[in-house]
């Protein structure tokens, strides 16, 4: 398969996954913003709930260049519909569709039609229609379109190399996003130390779990109160939880083994290394390091993996 | 021929208004359909085209980079015997054009015999001196030809243009049929319409036949200028239908006169390139040095016979409008046959008498730039204003060599569903002719329709639309 094609397919599915995860992240922020707490520490502006999506996507600086004030409306405009923000839901869906358009020959007709339809619909949205429909309803729609796209891909695409690069993009982006969403909690301060384990704390954890469709799974598995230790276990280490880091690395390692086709390439080795750390990891160890630090380190390794994937498959250089 | 008469041959009703036998079934059906159902079908068609994303880009249009080509839901129908004649005529013509190309790049017998003045060929801007003496596989230059055919006068066919460089539009032929079958399955059950959807198979087979000698299982790739090209949809469509890689210049590189693709498993050799890029952009080392679309070293690999380009380099010398008047003579010279399909009478303005005549009759004639295409740079005399004609006159006088003129053909009309209902609109036809061991084509072709009342310009860049073309099986 052409490297350029593989690159476009990888990014196509990454962008769709990113749209979904941005929607999830904004949805959890939206839910948290309705909770009865505010930031106590003066000067800690980023602890406002609406600053969270900006902090974890690394877009705070760009945001403040454009919008002087941190308001729900401004953040939604910026993160959802702003065409000048390359990470807005609008922009990533546009890029996904452009990539699909460039590679129509490599994907199924249904996949293209699905992405094109999504793009045609989001083009019609404005802040007015967003609030009229309900913000959560919009986020559900984005998630639905992403689910649909994955389902269409699963149901119609030839199981060729292109299919593997599409899956690679999906799980790569998902691993990245789950790590970032999990880190949300680190950035949201509680009103006071007495609130730890209290109602607000509970609502924050449950909102976070819901944002990655893990609330019911939590209940099913633990049948007990929500604790940070278990949330971390569920979203980092449990391989039966489809959005956990471990589950994502299972997929990434398997895909990269297949793509290496026995050639023992560096991306496969590195994915194996990251995978092993999760596979044999323990929650106690994570909390000994600190969840935030652990997640940062994971994101760094993911970045190195990205570089290796580029070098070996997506943007190779021949003399 | 003089000014366009007011009576046009109609595909459904001929000249005298009675429905022709091969249209009778369709005409009855059409008469039985309430107009609002047609409106609804047209809307459905639009939704389908939008969803599938069959769009084209218009050059010089910064805002709307993608547009739909209007699609008309009334088919153009050709009787079996009409098509049989067209097919034979096209095979004959394209065969002669390929022989001509081989000849001008080798012995030049046709020039030595004085059939065509040598200067006309050798000084033509489309003549590629680098091709002189170079042998191309199977001596085929134009693997894919898109020959524009119109019907005029009492219903006789004329060839308007031979497109031998990178003719486009075949994807519309295929998609139009798909949409028609979804919209009107009952019509296809009633009519025996010859299928066209095997075209990509024919094309792939033609390309594989063209592979360099000794390559048993050739790798074919389609070379596109990229996704901002107006025909990009077609490039992806054809690559997908043929199951070949769609490559851009940056995806290819040349080492030891061999062309490779950059793939996820390392370099992979390419044997046949169906290129949808003009000659000028193919190789910056040989042609335009500023081209970023091409592949450095490609021509070297081509000259070494290590890769086949389809179409070959230098085919433009045969489809140039200044060469067009000579095609009937090529057929007589190479095949010793009389042309089956007629040329449109053409005045060559480099000839003094012709120039004089044309300047005196500008209001009756169509004047075209010799190297123009896509309906740009032409004057339709009867439809032009006084000022436009005066402007064009200046341009002709300044550079008469640059122009040819033809009578304003009374192009046939075909019933078309427009705002006011079913009304006649002028049409043409572009069959796609494939040359390999045999000369083959899918029955029919792309039918283009001028949607504006009275308009004779069918180009999509000038507001034309398309129709499905039905060739009836006997």
């Amino acid at each position: 398969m052409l490297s350029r094609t593989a690159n476009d397919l990888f990014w196509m599915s990454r962008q769709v996954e990113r749209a979904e995860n941005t929607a999830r992240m904004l949805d959890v922020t939206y839910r948290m913003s309705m909770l009865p707490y505010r930031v106590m520490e003066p000067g800690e502006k980023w602890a406002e709930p609406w600053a969270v999506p900006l902090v974890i996507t690394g877009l705070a600086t760009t945001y403040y260049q454009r919008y002087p004030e941190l308001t729900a409306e401004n953040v939604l405009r910026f993160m959802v519909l702003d065409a000048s923000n390359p990470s807005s839901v609008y922009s990533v869906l546009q890029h996904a569709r452009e990539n699909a358009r460039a590679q129509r020959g490599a994907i199924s007709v249904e996949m293209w039609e699905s992405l094109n339809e999504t793009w045609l619909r989001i083009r019609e949205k404005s802040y007015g229609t967003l609030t009229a429909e309900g913000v959560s309803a919009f986020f559900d729609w984005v998630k639905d379109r992403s689910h649909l796209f994955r389902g269409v891909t699963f149901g119609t695409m030839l199981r060729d190399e292109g299919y593997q690069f599409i899956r690679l993009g999906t799980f790569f982006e998902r691993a990245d996003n789950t790590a970032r969403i999990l880190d949300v909690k680190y950035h949201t301060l509680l009103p006071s130390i007495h609130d730890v384990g209290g109602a607000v704390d509970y609502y924050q954890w449950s909102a976070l779990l819901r944002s990655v469709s893990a609330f019911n799974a939590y209940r099913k598995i633990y049948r007990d109160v929500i604790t940070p230790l278990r949330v971390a276990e569920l979203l980092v280490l449990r391989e039966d939880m489809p959005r956990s880091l471990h589950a994502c690395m299972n997929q990434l390692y398997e895909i990269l083994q297949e793509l290496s086709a026995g050639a023992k390439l560096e991306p496969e080795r590195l994915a194996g290394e990251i995978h092993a750390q999760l596979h044999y990891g323990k929650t106690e160890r994570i909390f000994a390091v600190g969840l935030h630090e652990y997640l940062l380190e994971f994101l760094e390794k993911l970045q190195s993996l990205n570089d290796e994937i580029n070098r070996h498959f997506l943007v190779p250089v021949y003399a | 021929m003089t000014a366009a008469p007011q009576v046009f041959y109609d595909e459904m009703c001929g000249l005298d208004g009675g429905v022709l036998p091969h249209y009778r079934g369709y005409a009855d059906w059409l008469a039985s359909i309430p107009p609002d159902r047609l409106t609804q079908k047209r809307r459905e068609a639009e939704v389908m085209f939008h969803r599938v994303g069959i769009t084209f880009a218009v050059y010089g249009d910064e805002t709307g980079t993608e547009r739909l080509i209007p699609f008309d839901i009334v088919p153009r129908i050709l009787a079996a015997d009409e098509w049989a004649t067209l097919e034979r005529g096209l095979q004959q013509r394209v065969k002669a054009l390929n022989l001509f190309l081989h000849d001008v790049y080798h012995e030049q017998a046709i020039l030595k015999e004085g059939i065509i003045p040598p200067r006309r060929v050798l000084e033509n801007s489309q003549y590629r001196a680098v091709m002189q003496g170079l042998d191309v596989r199977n001596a085929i230059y134009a693997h894919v030809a898109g020959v524009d055919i119109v019907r005029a006068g009492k219903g006789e066919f004329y060839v308007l243009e031979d497109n031998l460089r990178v003719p486009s539009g075949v994807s519309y032929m295929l998609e139009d049929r798909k949409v028609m079958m979804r919209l009107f399955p009952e019509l296809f059950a009633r009519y025996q319409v010859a299928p066209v959807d095997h075209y990509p198979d024919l094309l792939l087979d033609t390309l594989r036949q063209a592979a360099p000698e000794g390559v048993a299982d050739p790798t074919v790739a389609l070379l596109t200028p990229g996704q901002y090209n107006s025909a990009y949809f077609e490039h992806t469509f054809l690559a997908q239908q043929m199951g070949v890689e769609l490559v851009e210049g940056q995806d290819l590189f040349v080492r030891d006169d061999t062309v490779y693709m950059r793939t996820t498993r390392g370099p992979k050799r390419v044997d046949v390139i169906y290129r949808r890029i003009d000659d000028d952009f193919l190789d910056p080392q040989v042609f335009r040095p500023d081209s970023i679309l091409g592949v450095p070293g490609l021509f070297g690999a081509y000259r070494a016979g290590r890769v086949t380009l389809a179409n070959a380099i230098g085919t433009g010398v045969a489809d140039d409008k200044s060469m067009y008047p000579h095609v009937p003579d090529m057929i007589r010279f190479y095949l010793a046959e009389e042309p089956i399909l007629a040329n449109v009478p053409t005045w060559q303005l480099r000839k003094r008498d012709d120039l004089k005549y044309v300047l005196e009759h500008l209001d009756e004639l169509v004047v075209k730039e010799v190297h123009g295409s896509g309906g740009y740079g032409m004057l339709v005399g009867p439809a032009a204003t006084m000022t436009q004609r005066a402007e064009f006159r200046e341009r002709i006088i300044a550079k008469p060599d640059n122009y040819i003129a033809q009578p304003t053909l009374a192009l046939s009309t075909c019933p078309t569903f427009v705002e006011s209902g079913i009304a006649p609109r002028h049409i043409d036809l572009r069959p796609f002719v494939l040359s390999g061991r045999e000369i083959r084509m899918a029955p029919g072709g792309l039918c283009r329709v001028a949607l504006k009342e009275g308009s004779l310009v069918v180009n999509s860049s000038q507001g034309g639309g398309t129709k499905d073309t039905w060739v009836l099986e006997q």
Side-chain angles (χ1 to χ4, degrees):
Chain A
M1 151 159 293
L2 286 181
S3 294
R4 183 174 52 83
T5 302
N7 193 42
D8 284 352
L9 295 179
F10 176 76
W11 278 102
M12 173 186 74
S13 56
R14 273 195 81 163
Q15 306 278 18
V16 172
E17 187 69 23
R18 187 170 291 184
E20 177 183 338
N21 285 300
T22 303
R24 287 175 178 279
M25 202 188 311
L26 291 171
D27 201 25
V28 69
T29 307
Y30 182 65
R31 286 169 198 272
M32 283 188 183
S33 74
M34 292 185 293
L35 297 176
Y37 78 96
R38 280 294 174 266
V39 178
M40 295 281 108
E41 310 268 333
E44 295 274 18
K45 260 189 115 177
W46 48 266
E48 282 280 351
W50 285 104
V52 171
L54 303 175
V55 171
I56 62 186
T57 50
L59 289 166
T61 316
T62 325
Y63 173 86
Y64 283 113
Q65 281 166 358
R66 215 158 302 153
Y67 303 90
E69 261 185 281
L70 183 70
T71 65
E73 177 176 342
N74 284 350
V75 173
L76 283 174
R77 282 183 187 275
F78 179 69
M79 290 298 293
V80 175
L81 296 170
D82 194 337
S84 67
N85 170 11
S87 299
S88 69
V89 175
Y90 176 95
S91 296
V92 295
L93 289 177
Q94 180 181 27
H95 288 149
R97 187 256 186 188
E98 290 271 303
N99 284 332
R101 189 172 119 89
Q103 299 305 337
R104 286 183 64 164
I107 60 178
S108 72
V109 178
E110 289 87 348
M111 288 164 70
W112 157 249
E113 289 184 355
S114 162
L115 272 189
N116 194 36
E117 171 88 27
T118 306
W119 161 242
L120 293 174
R121 292 284 88 78
I122 197 159
R123 255 190 349 171
E124 295 164 358
K125 308 273 184 201
S126 64
Y127 189 72
T129 61
L130 209 70
T131 45
E133 284 171 21
V135 175
S136 283
F138 171 78
F139 294 138
D140 283 343
W141 175 80
V142 175
K143 279 191 268 177
D144 282 350
R145 295 307 300 183
S146 169
H147 293 322
L148 181 68
F149 180 70
R150 258 193 322 279
V152 164
T153 304
F154 183 76
T156 62
M157 186 161 170
L158 183 69
R159 297 308 194 252
D160 58 3
E161 226 186 322
Y163 182 72
Q164 300 298 352
F165 280 105
I166 287 174
R167 293 181 62 227
L168 193 69
T170 301
F171 292 111
F172 200 95
E173 185 68 21
R174 187 178 295 173
D176 180 275
N177 282 280
T178 296
R180 287 173 194 274
I181 286 183
L182 196 49
D183 207 25
V184 166
K185 194 64 175 81
Y186 174 80
H187 296 288
T188 50
L189 296 185
L190 289 164
S192 80
I193 195 73
H194 304 296
D195 291 317
V196 173
V200 173
D201 199 21
Y202 169 80
Y203 278 119
Q204 287 190 356
W205 281 116
S206 64
L208 192 147
L209 285 172
R210 281 204 177 89
S211 79
V212 288
S213 309
F215 185 72
N216 287 331
Y218 188 97
R219 278 284 156 79
K220 239 184 181 165
I221 296 169
Y222 302 107
R223 300 180 184 280
D224 201 353
V225 292
I226 301 175
T227 69
L229 209 73
R230 289 184 187 138
V231 172
E233 182 186 62
L234 185 67
L235 295 183
V236 176
L237 296 179
R238 281 199 75 110
E239 59 182 327
D240 53 357
M241 185 62 221
R243 309 191 80 81
S244 77
L245 303 187
H246 190 179
C248 293
M249 284 315 301
N250 270 353
Q251 301 286 339
L252 288 174
Y253 183 42
E254 181 206 307
I255 295 163
L256 286 167
Q257 277 178 308
E258 196 158 321
L259 287 173
S260 297
K264 296 259 175 280
L265 303 175
E266 178 60 14
E268 178 191 346
R269 192 205 62 78
L270 189 52
E273 185 186 314
I274 304 173
H275 173 253
Q277 280 163 2
L278 289 161
H279 193 80
Y280 301 106
K282 284 170 73 174
T283 19
E284 290 75 13
R285 294 281 308 157
I286 296 174
F287 278 83
V289 182
L291 181 60
H292 175 63
E293 288 70 22
Y294 181 88
L295 293 171
L296 281 185
E297 196 196 322
F298 175 79
L299 287 171
E300 268 169 35
K301 283 186 199 146
L302 217 50
Q303 185 53 47
S304 314
L305 182 59
N306 194 19
D307 296 343
E308 290 301 328
I309 290 172
N310 279 343
R311 205 160 65 82
H312 282 87
F313 300 114
L314 306 180
V315 273
V317 181
Y318 301 114
Chain B
M1 281 201 221
T2 54
Q6 287 314 297
V7 184
F8 299 99
Y9 181 89
D10 188 76
E11 297 292 329
M12 182 153 92
C13 301
L15 281 176
D16 59 5
V19 174
L20 296 166
H22 65 280
Y23 255 101
R24 232 164 252 159
Y26 183 80
D28 291 346
W29 176 88
L30 191 59
S32 72
I33 296 294
D36 54 337
R37 178 134 183 267
L38 288 180
T39 312
Q40 181 212 332
K41 288 288 179 191
R42 176 165 60 193
R43 219 174 295 131
E44 280 175 38
E46 268 172 34
V47 171
M48 278 186 227
F49 277 106
H50 253 299
R51 211 162 147 234
V52 179
I54 308 179
T55 53
F56 74 106
V58 181
Y59 291 119
D61 184 346
E62 297 291 327
T63 49
T65 44
E66 288 167 43
R67 265 198 243 160
L68 279 188
I69 293 189
F71 169 71
D72 181 56
I73 57 174
V74 182
R76 186 237 180 116
I77 306 177
L78 287 164
D81 57 333
E82 288 176 329
W83 173 250
T85 310
L86 277 177
E87 189 172 30
R88 276 193 300 122
L90 288 164
Q91 282 166 336
Q92 180 194 52
R93 192 171 175 106
V94 171
K95 193 174 174 188
L97 286 164
N98 268 314
L99 289 166
F100 168 74
L101 282 163
H102 178 79
D103 189 24
V104 299
Y105 289 121
H106 289 81
E107 300 80 20
Q108 304 184 336
I110 200 163
L111 310 184
K112 287 174 189 150
E113 295 283 329
I115 313 283
I116 299 173
R119 212 169 52 86
R120 188 105 343 106
V121 173
L122 305 177
E123 289 173 20
N124 190 304
S125 66
Q126 293 298 316
Y127 170 78
R128 297 276 178 262
V130 288
M131 290 297 289
Q132 197 61 51
L134 196 152
D135 289 327
V136 301
R137 183 81 167 129
N138 303 327
I140 290 167
Y141 287 74
H143 305 82
V144 184
V147 183
D148 289 344
I149 293 198
V150 296
R151 184 179 259 203
K154 296 194 178 72
E156 58 279 12
F157 290 110
Y158 292 92
V159 173
L160 201 57
E161 231 172 74
D162 305 287
N163 296 288
L164 307 178
R165 299 172 214 183
V166 284
S168 66
V170 75
S171 57
Y172 297 101
M173 168 181 99
L174 298 167
E175 286 292 330
D176 285 358
R177 172 63 55 84
K178 240 192 263 171
V179 168
M180 281 298 272
M181 291 184 84
R182 277 209 239 172
L183 289 178
F184 305 109
E186 73 273 21
L187 278 173
F188 286 88
R190 189 187 307 185
Y191 260 114
Q192 296 286 310
V193 181
V196 294
D197 46 2
H198 58 302
Y199 177 84
D201 294 343
L202 291 180
L203 176 59
L204 180 60
D205 189 47
T206 305
L207 294 169
R208 287 173 61 98
Q209 285 178 21
E213 214 161 348
V215 178
D217 185 16
T219 299
V220 177
L222 194 159
L223 177 61
T224 173
Q227 69 166 312
Y228 300 103
N229 182 269
S230 64
Y232 186 71
F233 163 72
E234 178 156 310
H235 304 161
T236 55
F237 177 87
L238 287 175
Q240 184 180 41
Q241 295 286 309
M242 292 192 288
V244 306
E245 292 292 357
L246 178 68
V247 299
E248 294 179 14
Q250 53 170 324
D251 298 321
L252 301 176
F253 67 96
V254 178
R255 192 190 286 156
D256 302 332
D257 281 344
T258 308
V259 184
Y260 296 95
M261 303 191 266
R262 297 172 206 275
T263 82
T264 53
R265 308 244 161 123
K268 180 166 169 48
R269 184 178 166 180
V270 178
D271 306 295
V272 181
I273 299 177
Y274 177 35
R275 49 98 171 204
R276 298 290 299 253
I277 291 184
D278 288 337
D279 288 355
D280 281 343
F281 298 96
L282 279 175
D283 182 348
Q285 292 175 353
V286 179
F287 304 106
R288 279 176 61 153
D290 60 338
S291 169
I292 48 163
L293 303 174
V295 187
L298 181 58
F299 185 76
Y302 183 57
R303 188 173 41 206
R306 303 272 297 155
V307 69
T308 300
L309 295 175
N311 290 349
I313 293 170
T315 51
V317 72
D319 75 0
D320 187 89
K321 289 188 182 72
S322 70
M323 208 51 56
Y324 166 86
H326 300 291
V327 179
D329 284 335
M330 295 177 197
I331 294 172
R332 292 183 191 103
F333 182 76
Y334 296 113
L335 304 175
E337 292 171 9
E338 274 306 301
I340 298 166
L341 295 173
N343 255 23
V344 179
T346 302
W347 289 277
Q348 304 175 48
L349 305 199
R350 58 185 168 78
K351 296 184 183 167
R352 284 186 58 171
D353 288 355
D354 284 16
L355 176 65
K356 184 162 174 286
Y357 178 86
V358 169
L359 290 178
E360 282 166 6
H361 295 83
L362 265 189
D363 55 342
E364 301 165 11
L365 304 172
V366 177
V367 187
K368 296 176 182 175
E369 257 180 54
V370 172
H371 309 300
S373 70
Y376 294 102
M378 66 186 266
L379 175 83
V380 181
T385 62
M386 293 269 282
T387 337
Q388 284 169 331
R389 283 202 293 266
E391 271 173 23
F392 223 84
R393 170 186 296 270
E394 297 298 317
R395 283 157 65 180
I396 294 171
I397 293 170
K399 258 187 138 181
D401 281 20
N402 226 6
Y403 296 93
I404 57 151
Q406 290 169 337
T408 312
L409 287 181
L411 289 195
S412 66
T413 57
C414 182
T416 301
F417 188 51
V418 294
E419 288 311 316
S420 54
I422 300 283
R425 289 290 182 270
H426 296 291
I427 55 163
D428 80 348
L429 179 68
R430 175 179 287 183
F432 293 89
V433 185
L434 300 173
S435 297
R437 274 189 291 272
E438 307 159 71
I439 301 177
R440 299 179 290 184
M441 61 204 91
L446 173 66
C447 175
R448 298 185 297 178
V449 53
L451 293 171
K452 231 165 73 189
E453 189 173 2
S455 169
L456 294 165
V457 185
V458 296
N459 299 74
S460 53
S461 49
Q462 311 281 311
T466 68
K467 279 171 173 293
D468 191 14
T469 306
W470 293 2
V471 171
L472 298 187
E473 286 179 335
Q474 236 140 17

